[in-house]
Amino acid sequence: MRKTILIPGGAGYVGSHTAYLLAKKGHAVIIVDKRIHNQKFSPSWATIIQEDFSNKTILDQIFTTHKIDAVMHFAAFIEVGESVKHPKRFYHNNVVKTLTLLDRMLAHDVKNFIFSSSCAVYGEPVTVPMDESNPFRPLSPYGKNKLIVEFALQDYATAYNLDSVSLRYFNAAGALPEAGLGEQHDPETHIIPLMIRAIKNQTPFKIFGTDYDTPDGSCIRDYIHVLDIAQAHVLALEHLDHKHSESSKASAFNLGSGNGFSVKEMIGAMEKICDKKMVIKHENRRPGDPAILLANPAKASSVLGWKPTHSDLETILRSALTFAETFSPDPVYSYSTSSADRAHR
Ligand code: UDP
């Protein structure tokens, strides 16, 4: 059935891929995004409202004019280091504004919510691979922001019958160059776009830490293709359709491939694809980086029926490379995002 989905932060990395997939599946997509980095994002397949996602007047107008079936919320500040330096900004944007969005939803009786969460809610893993029973010990204000919203969603389910799914992303990666979609942030901090930049320009790629307790000493992460994450949102929407039991009214799922790659393995894979060596610089550990983050996605698989199909490393790297080569000939990228897109610690 065709639905109308409101997508705060839909001009960002994961948001744009998800919006695209929803539109392709025949849903009506309304994006609210301030495009704070002046993204030139105005696709034909979505309605875009360039506004703050917590603007009550705008939200009331949208909820009055359209019958919104669900809200998928991607808009957030995502830089972990910044969240440590400026927690006020992060709590305001990621928590307070999200609660305003939820208020307006409830005021208009819109009761289906899908939330961009993060494995940052866990902090250091207790068991690897990580399932949803890992304790919550977020290391940054960013991770705490995500967790606070998840807690609110649990209480809102009980008190107000708000149905929600929180999707805890591991390392979102890859691109959909054929749709003009991909990953670019300003400033860029993520490994794949930075590797591409380094290999293209023959500038040093910095490895943050080679003394971790991992086989090659560099950090291991679980890279999951953004299109697989988008597909999980589509399945979460279907999940909300089935009026499920009380216990699953505010459910949460880890989204990762279940495969881990070290930074050195990522470098090797990129060098192989490009048939070119990277200039490497060894740096100290980045504060707050756990040695290994690896998902156990069994719950998403059994409950949502989610199965990543684009997340082999070669597909991820090649798609990111094609996107960068097609849309960013200039090493200083012009497109960037304001949205939550990636697990941060
Ligand atoms: N990393 C690195 N050099 C870089 C960027 C990232 O060594 O220039 C490492 C980082 O320390 C982490 C992994 O690559 O172990 C993934 O980092 P990214 O910032 O892409 O994602 P995060 O895991 O922080 O969400």
Side-chain angles (χ1 to χ4, degrees):
M1 200 186 80
R2 179 178 161 88
K3 293 187 189 316
T4 303
I5 316 294
L6 178 65
I7 310 190
Y13 178 40
V14 181
S16 60
H17 288 77
T18 305
Y20 174 79
L21 191 61
L22 287 164
K24 245 186 107 180
K25 289 186 180 290
H27 298 299
V29 168
I30 302 173
I31 291 172
V32 182
D33 195 303
K34 234 169 42 174
R35 292 191 283 206
I36 55 175
H37 301 294
N38 300 316
Q39 299 104 300
K40 294 175 189 64
F41 179 76
S42 42
S44 55
W45 39 262
T47 301
I48 301 214
I49 299 165
Q50 187 163 353
E51 276 294 343
D52 191 288
F53 72 91
S54 67
N55 181 323
K56 291 182 192 171
T57 312
I58 296 293
L59 289 173
D60 285 342
Q61 260 172 24
I62 295 171
F63 288 128
T64 309
T65 316
H66 302 272
K67 193 198 150 297
I68 301 293
D69 295 291
V71 175
M72 290 192 188
H73 179 36
F74 296 90
F77 291 159
I78 61 161
E79 259 292 317
V80 171
E82 287 295 296
S83 82
V84 176
K85 278 191 233 149
H86 306 289
K88 249 183 358 184
R89 278 188 213 159
F90 274 69
Y91 279 91
H92 184 70
N93 195 64
N94 296 355
V95 178
V96 176
K97 286 186 178 184
T98 299
L99 296 182
T100 302
L101 171 66
L102 292 173
D103 277 354
R104 297 333 297 155
M105 284 177 60
L106 292 175
H108 294 271
D109 209 27
V110 176
K111 299 223 167 148
N112 291 314
F113 189 70
I114 297 174
F115 179 54
S116 254
S117 190
S118 165
C119 66
V121 297
Y122 299 118
E124 284 279 355
V126 170
T127 52
V128 179
M130 300 167 82
D131 64 17
E132 290 77 2
S133 69
N134 262 267
F136 298 127
R137 295 185 305 200
L139 298 172
S140 66
Y142 171 78
K144 290 174 191 165
N145 292 168
K146 294 291 176 187
L147 189 55
I148 289 168
V149 172
E150 284 203 27
F151 282 148
L153 292 174
Q154 288 172 14
D155 292 333
Y156 285 27
T158 310
Y160 312 125
N161 280 322
L162 180 81
D163 289 336
S164 67
V165 176
S166 293
L167 297 173
R168 297 176 186 150
Y169 314 155
F170 280 64
N171 284 57
L176 194 59
E178 55 272 38
L181 302 175
E183 176 177 25
Q184 285 173 349
H185 304 95
D186 182 16
E188 187 55 76
T189 59
H190 290 155
I191 182 170
I192 295 176
L194 288 176
M195 284 196 311
I196 293 173
R197 202 180 284 183
I199 208 159
K200 265 179 69 176
N201 301 330
Q202 287 295 293
T203 49
F205 176 80
K206 299 174 184 165
I207 302 182
F208 295 133
T210 49
D211 57 350
Y212 283 97
D213 187 15
T214 59
D216 68 17
S218 64
C219 286
I220 293 174
R221 293 288 178 272
D222 182 331
Y223 297 90
I224 179 80
H225 198 292
V226 64
L227 208 53
D228 286 328
I229 295 183
Q231 177 62 14
H233 286 76
V234 172
L235 294 169
L237 189 63
E238 289 167 13
H239 179 70
L240 289 175
D241 260 354
H242 312 131
K243 284 302 160 198
H244 36 76
S245 66
E246 281 303 310
S247 61
S248 64
K249 273 186 153 301
S251 45
F253 300 92
N254 288 350
L255 296 186
S257 69
N259 298 311
F261 294 96
S262 72
V263 174
K264 288 184 179 172
E265 285 172 327
M266 296 294 282
I267 293 169
M270 184 58 91
E271 288 181 334
K272 194 166 163 219
I273 288 173
C274 297
D275 195 20
K276 206 171 179 182
K277 284 283 173 199
M278 226 178 273
V279 182
I280 301 296
K281 198 167 168 220
H282 293 265
E283 293 278 339
N284 291 334
R285 292 181 179 199
R286 209 171 52 174
D289 266 349
I292 303 181
L293 288 168
L294 187 59
N296 174 350
K299 186 180 172 194
S301 166
S302 62
V303 179
L304 299 179
W306 182 64
K307 192 173 181 316
T309 53
H310 300 87
S311 292
D312 61 285
L313 190 55
E314 186 166 347
T315 303
I316 286 176
L317 294 178
R318 282 195 188 279
S319 65
L321 201 56
T322 306
F323 175 75
E325 284 169 350
T326 313
F327 295 97
S328 318
D330 186 19
V332 181
Y333 295 155
S334 56
Y335 172 97
S336 55
T337 171
S338 59
S339 297
D341 58 9
R342 143 97 33 127
H344 275 272
R345 277 121 324 252

